[in-house]
Amino acid sequence: MSVTSEKMGLSLTQEILSHLGLANKTAAWGTLGTLRTFLSFSVDKDVQRLLRAIKGQGVDRTAIVDVLTNRSREQRQLISQAFQERTQQDLLKSLQAALSGHLERIVVALLQPAARADAQELRTALKDSGSAGDVAVEILATRTPPQLQECLAVYKHDFHVEAEEDIKSETSGTLRDLLLALAKGDRESYSEIIDYNLAEQDVQALKQAEGPSTEGLWVLILTQRNPEHLVRVFDQYQRCTGHEWEHTVRNRFHGDAQMALLSLAAVIRNTALYFADKLHQALQETEPNYHALMRILISRSETDLLSIRAEFRKKFGRSLYSSLQDTVKGDCRPALLALCRAEDL
């Protein structure tokens, strides 16, 4: 095969992989999300279509999924407002009455403001001791500073308590300190200036912080340094010690604290791969973890789901779309496939 033919044969997945560094930036086509602003958007037509889907003979689930998974979150909010104005009914409540099961939960998540969905997920995670180190880290570590601030504000409004207070009462030890630090959102912003001296200082500090009562230093460095700096720290740590930073975490920490630190490191190294791993894990369980699938596909659909799809295909040898097709059952299947959007060959 000629060089020219090889270049022409590059798959869409490979093309996306070449842009993974732009996962959190606006690219030439507008977004690395699978769900974009619908250019032919007509709020009146969408309201009428949803009204027919709910009020007609039998619920038209196909129409509901088609509208809600082809509009941006902002457009869905406009549809909800217009539906209320034109019918004097709440769209969310109307759809909840018409639907059930996983599809109902997907529709609720699609129609909620992102901050409210995040706040509810965070609250549930903190009240469930088994998921605080997983879902709470996911939300607190992967949202932008403005998204995190809005989430915490909604948390206080909806539950009449600061998220930090729930973190203090529901968690303990290193996990508590880590979540509190992430909730403050004090991470340094990216700087084009590479500070090699600081990287060396952090490596030496982590090497020396392997005894008792040194957990605070680990939390401080991991929650305040910018991700680009921390990747350099991880690489330099491995060169100095002969093993990955994660190896030390597994030996140094246990239980929820270990899981939370490893999750945070995965986010820092490659956020798209972190979510690809979580989706793969959700699909590998005896019964698919629909809650995790819904949360991730919806929350990343307008952000970086194309990058996540590419990482999934690269690591596991098959596409996320095919994996969903083969594993997901029931009336929520078309909605999850629509959010994923397409096959990666």
Side-chain angles (χ1 to χ4, degrees):
M1 181 183 289
S2 68
V3 174
T4 302
S5 298
E6 288 178 348
K7 288 182 178 178
M8 291 180 65
L10 287 174
S11 68
L12 173 61
T13 298
Q14 290 169 308
E15 180 182 349
I16 294 170
L17 283 171
S18 70
H19 292 86
L20 282 176
L22 301 176
N24 293 318
K25 302 177 183 178
T26 301
W29 55 89
T31 176
L32 280 172
T34 56
L35 200 159
R36 304 162 192 179
T37 299
F38 188 60
L39 298 180
S40 301
F41 179 56
S42 169
V43 68
D44 289 326
K45 289 181 179 179
D46 286 345
V47 167
Q48 290 302 318
R49 190 176 181 194
L50 288 172
L51 197 55
R52 289 195 299 271
I54 298 170
K55 300 298 184 183
Q57 281 195 328
V59 178
D60 189 346
R61 293 174 176 81
T62 300
I64 294 170
V65 168
D66 186 53
V67 172
L68 298 183
T69 61
N70 282 289
R71 307 294 184 268
S72 68
R73 193 177 288 274
E74 182 180 357
Q75 289 175 326
R76 295 194 296 269
Q77 292 300 304
L78 293 174
I79 292 170
S80 293
Q81 294 169 14
F83 191 94
Q84 176 76 46
E85 293 170 359
R86 288 158 177 71
T87 67
Q88 308 305 309
Q89 299 175 48
D90 183 273
L91 176 60
L92 179 56
K93 292 180 180 178
S94 298
L95 288 171
Q96 283 182 293
L99 303 171
S100 61
H102 295 312
L103 182 56
E104 178 190 349
R105 285 189 279 277
I106 290 175
V107 166
V108 170
L110 285 169
L111 286 174
Q112 283 182 321
R116 175 151 288 117
D118 280 346
Q120 291 179 349
E121 290 286 356
L122 180 58
R123 172 79 167 187
T124 300
L126 292 175
K127 294 298 180 180
D128 177 5
S129 58
S131 62
D134 178 25
V135 179
V137 169
E138 175 188 318
I139 292 172
L140 295 175
T142 66
R143 301 318 190 239
T144 64
Q147 288 172 338
L148 181 56
Q149 290 174 9
E150 189 175 1
C151 167
L152 296 178
V154 172
Y155 193 105
K156 180 179 180 180
H157 176 272
D158 287 1
F159 306 117
H160 310 292
V161 63
E162 298 279 2
E164 288 88 343
E165 293 304 315
D166 274 348
I167 291 172
K168 291 176 183 177
S169 64
E170 301 295 337
T171 62
S172 60
T174 302
L175 176 61
R176 177 197 61 213
D177 296 341
L178 184 69
L179 295 180
L180 287 173
L182 289 172
K184 288 180 180 178
D186 288 339
R187 189 179 295 283
E188 298 164 354
S189 58
Y190 171 72
S191 171
E192 295 183 1
I193 300 174
I194 299 176
D195 192 335
Y196 292 104
N197 288 331
L198 181 60
E200 176 62 25
Q201 290 172 19
D202 286 344
V203 169
Q204 294 304 319
L206 289 172
K207 284 175 61 180
Q208 296 168 15
E210 296 185 3
S213 304
T214 57
E215 296 87 351
L217 183 59
W218 289 73
V219 170
L220 177 69
I221 292 175
L222 286 174
T223 59
Q224 291 202 358
R225 305 288 191 257
N226 71 66
E228 291 80 5
H229 172 86
L230 286 172
V231 169
R232 288 192 291 272
V233 170
F234 293 159
D235 292 343
Q236 194 165 333
Y237 185 92
Q238 183 170 355
R239 288 194 297 271
C240 291
T241 64
H243 56 258
E244 290 188 338
W245 178 87
E246 287 83 351
H247 174 81
T248 301
V249 171
R250 291 187 181 94
N251 290 333
R252 172 74 174 76
F253 298 92
H254 305 282
D256 289 341
Q258 181 193 99
M259 180 174 65
L261 287 166
L262 292 174
S263 294
L264 182 55
V267 171
I268 291 166
R269 285 186 182 276
N270 186 334
T271 301
L273 178 57
Y274 162 79
F275 279 115
D277 281 332
K278 294 197 75 170
L279 287 168
H280 184 259
Q281 181 181 354
L283 289 165
Q284 293 303 303
E285 298 181 16
T286 305
E287 172 74 11
N289 186 336
Y290 285 98
H291 193 113
L293 293 173
M294 295 174 205
R295 183 183 68 250
I296 296 171
L297 290 174
I298 293 172
S299 68
R300 310 312 291 186
S301 62
E302 295 184 53
T303 307
D304 57 357
L305 192 48
L306 284 176
S307 295
I308 294 168
R309 275 172 34 186
E311 290 289 4
F312 192 101
R313 180 74 175 82
K314 180 182 178 182
K315 181 169 183 177
F316 302 111
R318 64 180 318 210
S319 72
L320 175 59
Y321 192 90
S322 291
S323 299
L324 289 167
Q325 258 185 330
D326 293 346
T327 307
V328 173
K329 309 297 181 185
D331 57 6
C332 72
R333 185 169 181 263
L336 294 179
L337 289 173
L339 290 167
C340 183
R341 223 29 151 217
E343 183 67 87
D344 295 306
L345 301 177

